[in-house]
Amino acid sequence: MPAAIRILSLCAALVALGCASRPIGDVNLERGKAGRALQDIAVAQKGAAAVAVISTDVGRGLAFVVDPDGYLITNRHVIEDADHIEDITFPALKPPRSFAAVRIVYIDPSRDLALIKVDVDAPLPSLPLATVGSAPIEDYLQAKDRVLLLARPGEDEATGPGGKPTTGFVARTGDVRELAVYNPAVGPGAFFGLSQAVRRGQSGGPVLDRFGRVVGVVSWTWKHRVGGYAIPISEAAQMLSELPDMDTPAEQSARATERARGFLKALDGGDLEVARRMMSPTYSRKIRQRTMTTIAEQLPGDGRAAVQQFVAALEDIVDSEPEGAEELPFSKVQDVVLRTGTRGFMEALGVEGALSKDQVISFFFEFAQAYVGARFFAESDADTAMNAAMMRLQTVDAARTFAFAEATGRFKRGARLAVERLEIVPGAYAPHAVVTLRNQDPDGKQPATLVMQMRLEWGDWYVAELQTAGG
């Protein structure tokens, strides 16, 4: 048999069986075998060497190596709200290794996932995945399967036998409780449940099966429920397959045009959540800071009474719900939030003329979602719920709500906008795009031309702001 035919036959066989490895852009994923099961200690030792601790200016999380060249997967929320990553450390390596220079390759706008990169002078230990494609979770994981999590030692685990300090990680064994749990507040699709308690700082870590393969990424937990929840690893493989190609100016221009049209399509179709997630993180933080500063300036004076009345209205909603109710009364919350956009409330708050109606509503919308959620689901007291609301306002996700209100306030809903021209402008740190939009249905109420600014951040193009052409 000729060599070329033998190679083609081998490739066909690998496709049929599921490829042992799969290159996605610069990342080469290894698929692990479901062969001989390993002892827990072997799974933990093998996995720990490839797991890193991410330290940022706002907290800590975990990540794990998927490519020996220095590519790691973690949660979006581990790094999204940080101003900078301080370092990434591999405590289980001998000797431990630490990296101060970390590049964010891509942050998934919808899934709680991100890809980061460190520059290495020698290959890092990496973990095989249960699948390197978008396979159904049932293909590699079942309810009651034994799984293992890695975590940094807690206070009760800080010393080992003989009083020696514990280094590296501690392993927590358990099993898969359920395969399909939905929480739109965290991300789309189904998560799977774990019996192990998930503690603060474990986010972004791998869920390992008895073969030592990664089957999921630890993502979230509920305060009053034992266990935690993870993203199926096939979702991470799908994220990597969606990484846009932007190595050349032509590829950057094509992707920027695609994203601009996608933003307009989402607005036109009423898919506002998709459009909101396309707002620039940097620009969103800027708008959030301006909005919060303007409101905060009024709180020492008359504005405090308006905020207190708003919180009292939220408390009335929580108190009115029957004991044991499982659904959060968002329709009632929405009614209260919409009242903050009235002229009377804005005057009482002291921001009439300083902030738009949409900006005020977006602030109190994000505040109320977090406050009522903490009071209703977590059964937190009022002070704890207030802290949860203030923490929510500091997130990029909340900031995007402010920026979205600011940007879309530039044009009337229902305006038929189309991309007329796009120009890539080089920048000192990253290029930005200037997109000229043409209103295809001028009615005298909407400017005929708008300009949309876009920024290249986190591996993709994001909408920064909309401006009236010429001003």
Side-chain angles (χ1 to χ4, degrees), residues 240-327:
L240 294 178
S241 70
E242 295 169 359
L243 297 179
D245 295 321
M246 287 191 288
D247 293 333
T248 67
E251 289 174 337
Q252 291 179 3
S253 180
R255 179 61 176 175
T257 302
E258 177 187 350
R259 291 279 282 175
R261 288 172 175 165
F263 180 77
L264 297 178
K265 181 180 179 181
L267 289 177
D268 188 53
D271 199 344
L272 303 186
E273 178 58 19
V274 170
R276 187 184 71 87
R277 288 189 177 275
M278 293 178 69
M279 298 303 302
S280 157
T282 301
Y283 180 72
S284 297
R285 284 178 170 135
K286 175 183 175 182
I287 298 301
R288 187 261 315 278
Q289 183 63 36
R290 188 179 72 196
T291 302
M292 291 186 64
T293 298
T294 302
I295 293 176
E297 288 173 349
Q298 307 305 317
L299 295 185
D302 296 337
R304 179 181 294 274
V307 173
Q308 290 174 336
Q309 291 175 2
F310 176 76
V311 174
L314 298 181
E315 285 292 328
D316 289 342
I317 293 174
V318 174
D319 292 340
S320 67
E321 290 304 299
E323 187 175 350
E326 295 184 356
E327 294 295 327

Coordinates of all heavy atoms in Angstrom, one line a residue, residues 240-327:
L240 N -12.4 26.6 22.3 CA -11.1 26.7 21.6 C -11.4 26.7 20.1 O -10.7 27.3 19.3 CB -10.2 25.6 22.0 CG -9.7 25.7 23.5 CD1 -8.8 24.5 23.8 CD2 -9.0 27.0 23.7
S241 N -12.3 25.9 19.6 CA -12.6 25.8 18.2 C -13.2 27.1 17.6 O -13.2 27.3 16.4 CB -13.5 24.6 17.9 OG -14.9 24.9 18.4
E242 N -13.7 27.9 18.5 CA -14.3 29.2 18.1 C -13.3 30.4 18.1 O -13.7 31.5 17.8 CB -15.5 29.5 19.0 CG -16.7 28.5 18.9 CD -17.7 28.6 19.9 OE1 -17.6 29.5 20.8 OE2 -18.7 27.9 19.9
L243 N -12.1 30.1 18.5 CA -11.1 31.2 18.6 C -11.0 31.9 17.2 O -10.7 31.2 16.2 CB -9.8 30.7 19.0 CG -9.6 30.1 20.4 CD1 -8.2 29.7 20.7 CD2 -10.1 31.1 21.5
P244 N -11.2 33.2 17.1 CA -11.1 33.8 15.8 C -9.6 33.9 15.3 O -8.7 34.1 16.1 CB -11.7 35.2 16.0 CG -11.4 35.5 17.5 CD -11.5 34.1 18.1
D245 N -9.4 33.8 14.0 CA -8.1 34.0 13.4 C -7.9 35.5 13.1 O -8.6 36.1 12.4 CB -8.0 33.2 12.1 CG -8.1 31.7 12.3 OD1 -7.5 31.3 13.2 OD2 -8.7 31.1 11.4
M246 N -6.8 36.1 13.8 CA -6.6 37.5 13.6 C -5.1 37.8 13.5 O -4.6 38.8 14.1 CB -7.3 38.3 14.7 CG -8.8 38.4 14.5 SD -9.6 39.5 15.6 CE -9.4 38.7 17.2
D247 N -4.4 36.9 12.9 CA -2.9 37.1 12.7 C -2.5 38.2 11.7 O -1.5 38.8 11.8 CB -2.2 35.8 12.4 CG -2.4 34.7 13.5 OD1 -2.5 35.1 14.6 OD2 -2.4 33.5 13.1
T248 N -3.4 38.4 10.7 CA -3.1 39.4 9.7 C -4.1 40.5 9.7 O -5.2 40.4 10.3 CB -3.1 38.7 8.3 OG1 -4.5 38.4 8.0 CG2 -2.3 37.5 8.3
P249 N -3.7 41.7 9.2 CA -4.7 42.8 9.1 C -6.0 42.4 8.4 O -7.1 42.9 8.8 CB -3.9 43.9 8.4 CG -2.5 43.6 8.7 CD -2.4 42.1 8.7
A250 N -5.9 41.6 7.3 CA -7.1 41.2 6.6 C -8.0 40.4 7.5 O -9.2 40.5 7.5 CB -6.7 40.4 5.4
E251 N -7.4 39.5 8.3 CA -8.2 38.7 9.2 C -8.9 39.5 10.3 O -10.0 39.3 10.7 CB -7.4 37.6 9.8 CG -7.0 36.5 8.8 CD -6.0 35.5 9.4 OE1 -5.3 35.8 10.4 OE2 -5.9 34.3 8.9
Q252 N -8.1 40.5 10.8 CA -8.7 41.4 11.8 C -9.8 42.2 11.2 O -10.9 42.4 11.9 CB -7.6 42.4 12.3 CG -6.5 41.7 13.1 CD -5.4 42.7 13.5 OE1 -5.5 43.9 13.3 NE2 -4.4 42.2 14.2
S253 N -9.7 42.7 10.0 CA -10.8 43.5 9.4 C -12.0 42.6 9.2 O -13.1 43.1 9.4 CB -10.3 44.1 8.1 OG -11.3 44.8 7.4
A254 N -11.8 41.4 8.7 CA -12.9 40.5 8.4 C -13.7 40.2 9.7 O -14.9 40.2 9.8 CB -12.5 39.2 7.7
R255 N -12.9 39.9 10.8 CA -13.5 39.6 12.1 C -14.3 40.8 12.6 O -15.4 40.7 13.2 CB -12.5 39.1 13.0 CG -13.0 38.7 14.4 CD -14.1 37.6 14.4 NE -14.5 37.2 15.7 CZ -15.5 36.4 16.0 NH1 -16.1 35.8 14.9 NH2 -15.8 36.0 17.2
A256 N -13.7 42.0 12.5 CA -14.3 43.2 13.1 C -15.6 43.4 12.3 O -16.6 43.8 12.9 CB -13.4 44.4 12.9
T257 N -15.6 43.2 11.0 CA -16.9 43.4 10.2 C -17.9 42.4 10.7 O -19.1 42.8 10.9 CB -16.6 43.3 8.7 OG1 -15.6 44.2 8.3 CG2 -17.8 43.5 7.9
E258 N -17.5 41.2 10.9 CA -18.4 40.1 11.3 C -19.0 40.5 12.7 O -20.2 40.3 12.9 CB -17.7 38.8 11.4 CG -18.5 37.6 11.9 CD -17.7 36.4 12.1 OE1 -16.6 36.3 11.7 OE2 -18.2 35.4 12.7
R259 N -18.2 40.9 13.6 CA -18.7 41.3 14.9 C -19.6 42.5 14.9 O -20.6 42.5 15.6 CB -17.5 41.5 15.9 CG -16.7 40.3 16.2 CD -17.3 39.5 17.3 NE -17.0 40.1 18.6 CZ -17.5 39.6 19.7 NH1 -18.3 38.5 19.7 NH2 -17.2 40.2 20.9
A260 N -19.3 43.5 14.1 CA -20.1 44.7 14.0 C -21.5 44.3 13.5 O -22.5 44.8 14.0 CB -19.4 45.7 13.1
R261 N -21.5 43.5 12.4 CA -22.8 43.1 11.9 C -23.5 42.2 12.9 O -24.8 42.3 13.0 CB -22.6 42.3 10.6 CG -22.1 43.2 9.4 CD -21.7 42.4 8.2 NE -21.5 43.3 7.1 CZ -20.8 43.0 6.0 NH1 -20.4 41.7 5.9 NH2 -20.6 43.9 5.0
G262 N -22.8 41.4 13.6 CA -23.5 40.5 14.7 C -24.1 41.4 15.7 O -25.2 41.0 16.2
F263 N -23.4 42.5 16.1 CA -24.0 43.4 17.1 C -25.3 44.0 16.6 O -26.3 44.0 17.4 CB -23.0 44.4 17.5 CG -23.4 45.4 18.5 CD1 -23.4 45.1 19.8 CD2 -23.8 46.7 18.1 CE1 -23.8 46.0 20.8 CE2 -24.2 47.7 19.1 CZ -24.2 47.3 20.4
L264 N -25.3 44.5 15.4 CA -26.5 45.1 14.8 C -27.6 44.1 14.7 O -28.8 44.4 14.9 CB -26.1 45.8 13.5 CG -25.1 46.9 13.5 CD1 -24.9 47.4 12.1 CD2 -25.6 48.0 14.4
K265 N -27.3 42.9 14.3 CA -28.3 41.8 14.1 C -28.9 41.5 15.4 O -30.1 41.3 15.5 CB -27.6 40.6 13.5 CG -28.6 39.5 13.3 CD -27.9 38.2 12.7 CE -28.9 37.1 12.5 NZ -28.2 35.9 11.9
A266 N -28.1 41.4 16.5 CA -28.6 41.1 17.8 C -29.6 42.2 18.3 O -30.7 42.0 18.9 CB -27.5 41.0 18.8
L267 N -29.2 43.5 18.0 CA -30.1 44.6 18.4 C -31.4 44.6 17.6 O -32.5 44.7 18.2 CB -29.4 45.9 18.2 CG -28.2 46.3 19.1 CD1 -27.6 47.6 18.6 CD2 -28.7 46.4 20.5
D268 N -31.3 44.3 16.3 CA -32.5 44.3 15.4 C -33.4 43.2 15.8 O -34.6 43.3 15.7 CB -32.0 44.2 14.0 CG -33.2 44.4 13.0 OD1 -33.9 45.4 13.1 OD2 -33.4 43.5 12.2
G269 N -32.8 42.0 16.2 CA -33.6 40.9 16.6 C -34.1 40.9 18.0 O -34.8 39.9 18.4
G270 N -33.7 41.9 18.8 CA -34.1 41.9 20.2 C -33.4 41.0 21.1 O -33.7 40.8 22.2
D271 N -32.2 40.5 20.6 CA -31.4 39.6 21.4 C -30.4 40.5 22.2 O -29.2 40.5 21.9 CB -30.7 38.6 20.6 CG -30.2 37.4 21.4 OD1 -30.1 37.5 22.7 OD2 -29.8 36.4 20.8
L272 N -30.9 41.2 23.2 CA -30.1 42.3 23.8 C -29.0 41.7 24.7 O -28.0 42.4 24.9 CB -31.1 43.2 24.7 CG -32.2 43.8 23.9 CD1 -33.0 44.8 24.8 CD2 -31.7 44.6 22.7
E273 N -29.2 40.5 25.2 CA -28.1 39.9 26.0 C -26.9 39.6 25.2 O -25.8 39.8 25.6 CB -28.7 38.6 26.7 CG -27.6 37.9 27.5 CD -27.1 38.7 28.7 OE1 -27.7 39.7 29.1 OE2 -26.0 38.4 29.2
V274 N -27.1 39.1 24.0 CA -26.0 38.9 23.1 C -25.3 40.2 22.8 O -24.0 40.3 22.8 CB -26.4 38.2 21.8 CG1 -25.3 38.2 20.7 CG2 -26.9 36.8 22.1
A275 N -26.0 41.2 22.5 CA -25.5 42.5 22.2 C -24.7 43.1 23.4 O -23.6 43.7 23.3 CB -26.6 43.5 21.7
R276 N -25.3 42.9 24.6 CA -24.7 43.5 25.8 C -23.3 42.9 26.0 O -22.4 43.5 26.4 CB -25.6 43.3 27.0 CG -25.1 43.9 28.3 CD -26.1 43.5 29.4 NE -25.9 42.2 29.8 CZ -25.0 41.7 30.7 NH1 -24.2 42.6 31.2 NH2 -24.9 40.5 31.0
R277 N -23.2 41.6 25.8 CA -21.9 40.9 26.0 C -20.9 41.2 25.0 O -19.7 40.8 25.2 CB -22.2 39.4 26.0 CG -22.9 38.9 27.3 CD -22.9 37.4 27.4 NE -23.5 36.9 28.6 CZ -22.9 36.8 29.8 NH1 -21.6 37.1 29.8 NH2 -23.5 36.3 30.8
M278 N -21.2 42.0 24.0 CA -20.3 42.4 23.0 C -19.7 43.8 23.3 O -18.9 44.4 22.5 CB -20.9 42.4 21.6 CG -21.2 41.0 21.1 SD -22.0 41.0 19.5 CE -20.6 41.5 18.4
M279 N -20.1 44.4 24.5 CA -19.5 45.7 24.8 C -18.1 45.5 25.4 O -17.8 44.6 26.1 CB -20.4 46.3 25.9 CG -21.8 46.6 25.5 SD -22.0 47.7 24.0 CE -21.1 49.1 24.6
S280 N -17.2 46.5 25.0 CA -15.8 46.5 25.4 C -15.7 46.5 26.9 O -16.3 47.3 27.6 CB -15.1 47.7 24.8 OG -14.0 48.0 25.5
P281 N -14.8 45.6 27.5 CA -14.6 45.6 28.9 C -14.0 46.9 29.4 O -14.4 47.4 30.4 CB -13.6 44.4 29.1 CG -13.8 43.5 27.9 CD -14.2 44.5 26.8
T282 N -13.0 47.4 28.7 CA -12.3 48.7 29.1 C -13.3 49.8 29.1 O -13.4 50.6 30.0 CB -11.1 49.0 28.2 OG1 -10.2 47.9 28.3 CG2 -10.4 50.2 28.6
Y283 N -14.1 50.0 28.0 CA -15.0 51.1 27.9 C -16.1 50.9 28.9 O -16.6 51.9 29.5 CB -15.6 51.1 26.5 CG -16.6 52.2 26.3 CD1 -16.2 53.5 26.2 CD2 -18.0 51.9 26.1 CE1 -17.1 54.5 26.0 CE2 -18.9 52.9 25.9 CZ -18.5 54.2 25.9 OH -19.4 55.2 25.7
S284 N -16.6 49.7 29.2 CA -17.6 49.4 30.1 C -17.2 49.8 31.5 O -18.0 50.5 32.3 CB -18.0 47.9 30.1 OG -18.5 47.5 28.9
R285 N -16.0 49.5 31.9 CA -15.5 50.0 33.2 C -15.5 51.5 33.3 O -15.8 52.1 34.4 CB -14.1 49.4 33.4 CG -14.0 48.0 33.7 CD -12.6 47.5 33.9 NE -12.4 46.2 34.4 CZ -11.6 45.3 34.0 NH1 -10.9 45.5 32.9 NH2 -11.6 44.1 34.5
K286 N -15.1 52.2 32.2 CA -15.1 53.6 32.2 C -16.5 54.2 32.5 O -16.7 55.1 33.3 CB -14.5 54.1 30.9 CG -14.6 55.6 30.7 CD -14.1 56.0 29.3 CE -14.2 57.5 29.1 NZ -13.8 57.8 27.7
I287 N -17.5 53.7 31.8 CA -18.9 54.2 31.9 C -19.4 53.8 33.3 O -20.1 54.6 34.0 CB -19.8 53.6 30.8 CG1 -19.3 54.0 29.5 CG2 -21.2 54.0 31.1 CD1 -19.3 55.5 29.2
R288 N -19.1 52.6 33.8 CA -19.5 52.2 35.1 C -18.9 53.2 36.2 O -19.7 53.6 37.1 CB -19.1 50.8 35.4 CG -19.6 50.1 36.7 CD -18.5 50.1 37.8 NE -17.2 49.8 37.4 CZ -16.8 48.5 37.3 NH1 -17.6 47.5 37.5 NH2 -15.5 48.3 36.9
Q289 N -17.7 53.5 36.1 CA -17.0 54.4 37.1 C -17.7 55.8 37.1 O -18.0 56.3 38.1 CB -15.6 54.5 36.7 CG -14.8 55.4 37.7 CD -14.8 54.8 39.1 OE1 -14.7 53.6 39.3 NE2 -14.9 55.7 40.1
R290 N -18.0 56.3 35.9 CA -18.7 57.6 35.8 C -20.1 57.5 36.4 O -20.5 58.5 37.2 CB -18.7 58.0 34.3 CG -19.2 59.5 34.2 CD -19.3 59.8 32.7 NE -20.3 59.2 32.0 CZ -20.4 59.0 30.7 NH1 -19.5 59.5 29.9 NH2 -21.4 58.4 30.1
T291 N -20.8 56.5 36.1 CA -22.2 56.4 36.7 C -22.2 56.2 38.2 O -22.9 56.9 38.9 CB -22.9 55.1 36.0 OG1 -22.9 55.2 34.6 CG2 -24.3 55.0 36.6
M292 N -21.3 55.4 38.7 CA -21.3 55.1 40.1 C -20.8 56.4 40.9 O -21.2 56.7 42.0 CB -20.4 53.9 40.5 CG -21.1 52.6 40.0 SD -20.1 51.1 40.5 CE -20.3 51.2 42.3
T293 N -19.8 57.0 40.3 CA -19.3 58.3 41.0 C -20.3 59.3 41.1 O -20.5 60.0 42.1 CB -18.1 58.8 40.2 OG1 -17.0 57.8 40.2 CG2 -17.5 60.1 40.8
T294 N -21.1 59.5 40.0 CA -22.2 60.5 40.0 C -23.2 60.2 41.0 O -23.7 61.1 41.7 CB -22.8 60.6 38.6 OG1 -21.8 60.9 37.6 CG2 -23.9 61.6 38.5
I295 N -23.6 58.9 41.1 CA -24.6 58.5 42.1 C -24.1 58.6 43.6 O -24.7 59.1 44.5 CB -25.2 57.1 41.9 CG1 -26.0 57.1 40.5 CG2 -26.0 56.6 43.0 CD1 -26.4 55.8 40.1
A296 N -22.8 58.2 43.7 CA -22.2 58.2 45.1 C -22.1 59.6 45.6 O -22.2 59.8 46.8 CB -20.8 57.5 45.0
E297 N -21.8 60.6 44.7 CA -21.7 62.0 45.2 C -23.0 62.5 45.8 O -23.0 63.5 46.6 CB -21.3 62.9 44.0 CG -19.9 62.7 43.5 CD -19.6 63.4 42.3 OE1 -20.5 63.9 41.6 OE2 -18.4 63.5 41.9
Q298 N -24.1 61.9 45.5 CA -25.4 62.4 46.0 C -25.8 61.7 47.3 O -26.7 62.1 48.0 CB -26.5 62.1 45.0 CG -26.2 62.7 43.6 CD -25.9 64.2 43.7 OE1 -26.5 64.9 44.4 NE2 -24.9 64.5 42.9
L299 N -25.1 60.6 47.7 CA -25.5 59.8 48.8 C -25.4 60.5 50.2 O -26.2 60.3 51.1 CB -24.8 58.4 48.9 CG -25.2 57.5 47.7 CD1 -24.5 56.2 47.8 CD2 -26.7 57.3 47.6
P300 N -24.3 61.3 50.4 CA -24.3 62.0 51.7 C -25.4 63.0 51.9 O -25.7 63.4 53.0 CB -22.9 62.7 51.6 CG -22.1 61.9 50.6 CD -23.1 61.5 49.6
G301 N -26.1 63.4 50.8 CA -27.1 64.4 50.9 C -28.5 63.8 50.7 O -28.8 62.7 51.2
D302 N -29.3 64.5 49.9 CA -30.7 64.1 49.7 C -30.8 62.7 49.0 O -31.8 62.0 49.1 CB -31.5 65.1 48.9 CG -31.5 66.4 49.7 OD1 -31.4 66.4 50.9 OD2 -31.7 67.5 49.0
G303 N -29.8 62.3 48.2 CA -29.9 61.1 47.5 C -30.0 59.8 48.3 O -30.6 58.8 47.9
R304 N -29.5 59.9 49.6 CA -29.6 58.7 50.5 C -31.1 58.3 50.7 O -31.3 57.1 50.7 CB -29.0 59.1 51.8 CG -29.0 57.9 52.8 CD -28.3 58.3 54.1 NE -26.9 58.5 53.9 CZ -26.0 57.6 54.0 NH1 -26.4 56.3 54.2 NH2 -24.7 57.8 53.8
A305 N -32.0 59.2 50.9 CA -33.4 58.9 51.1 C -34.0 58.1 49.9 O -34.7 57.2 50.1 CB -34.2 60.1 51.4
A306 N -33.6 58.5 48.7 CA -34.1 57.8 47.5 C -33.6 56.4 47.4 O -34.4 55.5 47.1 CB -33.7 58.6 46.2
V307 N -32.4 56.2 47.8 CA -31.8 54.8 47.7 C -32.5 54.0 48.8 O -32.8 52.8 48.6 CB -30.3 54.9 47.9 CG1 -29.7 53.5 48.0 CG2 -29.7 55.6 46.7
Q308 N -32.7 54.6 50.0 CA -33.3 53.8 51.1 C -34.7 53.4 50.8 O -35.1 52.3 51.1 CB -33.3 54.7 52.4 CG -31.9 54.9 53.0 CD -31.9 55.9 54.2 OE1 -32.8 56.7 54.3 NE2 -30.9 55.7 55.0
Q309 N -35.4 54.3 50.1 CA -36.8 53.9 49.6 C -36.7 52.8 48.6 O -37.6 51.9 48.6 CB -37.5 55.2 49.0 CG -37.8 56.3 50.0 CD -38.3 57.5 49.4 OE1 -38.5 57.6 48.2 NE2 -38.6 58.5 50.2
F310 N -35.7 52.8 47.8 CA -35.6 51.8 46.8 C -35.3 50.4 47.4 O -36.0 49.4 47.1 CB -34.5 52.1 45.8 CG -34.2 51.0 44.8 CD1 -35.0 50.8 43.7 CD2 -33.1 50.2 44.9 CE1 -34.8 49.9 42.7 CE2 -32.8 49.2 44.0 CZ -33.6 49.0 42.9
V311 N -34.4 50.4 48.4 CA -34.1 49.2 49.1 C -35.3 48.7 49.9 O -35.6 47.5 50.0 CB -32.9 49.4 50.1 CG1 -32.6 48.2 50.9 CG2 -31.6 49.7 49.2
A312 N -36.0 49.6 50.5 CA -37.2 49.2 51.3 C -38.3 48.6 50.4 O -38.9 47.6 50.8 CB -37.8 50.5 51.9
A313 N -38.4 49.0 49.1 CA -39.3 48.4 48.2 C -38.9 47.0 47.8 O -39.7 46.1 47.7 CB -39.4 49.3 46.9
L314 N -37.5 46.8 47.7 CA -37.0 45.4 47.5 C -37.3 44.5 48.7 O -37.7 43.4 48.5 CB -35.5 45.5 47.2 CG -35.1 46.3 45.9 CD1 -33.6 46.2 45.8 CD2 -35.7 45.7 44.7
E315 N -37.2 45.1 49.9 CA -37.4 44.3 51.1 C -38.9 43.9 51.1 O -39.2 42.8 51.5 CB -37.1 45.1 52.3 CG -35.6 45.2 52.6 CD -35.0 43.8 53.0 OE1 -35.7 43.0 53.6 OE2 -33.8 43.6 52.6
D316 N -39.8 44.8 50.7 CA -41.2 44.4 50.6 C -41.5 43.2 49.7 O -42.3 42.4 50.0 CB -42.0 45.6 50.2 CG -42.1 46.7 51.2 OD1 -41.8 46.4 52.4 OD2 -42.4 47.9 50.9
I317 N -40.8 43.2 48.6 CA -40.9 42.1 47.7 C -40.5 40.8 48.3 O -41.1 39.7 48.2 CB -40.1 42.3 46.4 CG1 -40.7 43.5 45.6 CG2 -40.1 41.1 45.5 CD1 -39.9 43.9 44.4
V318 N -39.3 40.8 49.0 CA -38.8 39.6 49.6 C -39.8 39.1 50.7 O -40.1 37.9 50.8 CB -37.4 39.9 50.2 CG1 -36.9 38.6 51.0 CG2 -36.4 40.2 49.1
D319 N -40.2 40.1 51.5 CA -41.2 39.7 52.6 C -42.5 39.2 52.2 O -43.1 38.4 52.9 CB -41.4 41.0 53.5 CG -40.1 41.4 54.3 OD1 -39.2 40.5 54.4 OD2 -40.0 42.5 54.7
S320 N -42.9 39.6 51.0 CA -44.2 39.2 50.5 C -44.3 37.8 49.9 O -45.3 37.3 49.6 CB -44.7 40.2 49.4 OG -43.9 40.2 48.2
E321 N -43.1 37.2 49.6 CA -43.0 35.9 49.0 C -43.3 34.8 50.1 O -42.8 34.9 51.2 CB -41.7 35.6 48.4 CG -41.4 36.4 47.2 CD -42.5 36.2 46.1 OE1 -42.7 35.1 45.7 OE2 -43.2 37.2 45.8
P322 N -44.2 33.9 49.8 CA -44.5 32.8 50.7 C -43.3 32.0 51.1 O -42.4 31.8 50.3 CB -45.6 32.0 50.0 CG -45.3 32.2 48.5 CD -44.9 33.6 48.5
E323 N -43.3 31.4 52.3 CA -42.1 30.6 52.7 C -42.0 29.4 51.9 O -43.0 28.7 51.6 CB -42.4 30.2 54.2 CG -41.2 29.5 54.8 CD -41.4 29.2 56.3 OE1 -42.3 29.8 56.9 OE2 -40.5 28.5 56.9
G324 N -40.8 29.1 51.4 CA -40.6 27.9 50.6 C -40.7 28.2 49.1 O -40.6 27.3 48.3
A325 N -41.0 29.4 48.7 CA -41.1 29.8 47.3 C -39.8 29.6 46.6 O -38.7 29.9 47.2 CB -41.6 31.2 47.1
E326 N -39.8 29.0 45.4 CA -38.5 28.7 44.7 C -38.2 29.6 43.6 O -37.1 29.7 43.1 CB -38.6 27.2 44.2 CG -38.7 26.2 45.3 CD -38.6 24.8 44.7 OE1 -38.6 24.6 43.5 OE2 -38.6 23.8 45.5
E327 N -39.2 30.4 43.1 CA -39.0 31.3 42.0 C -38.8 32.7 42.5 O -39.5 33.2 43.4 CB -40.2 31.3 41.1 CG -40.3 30.0 40.3 CD -39.2 29.7 39.4 OE1 -38.6 30.6 38.8 OE2 -38.9 28.5 39.3

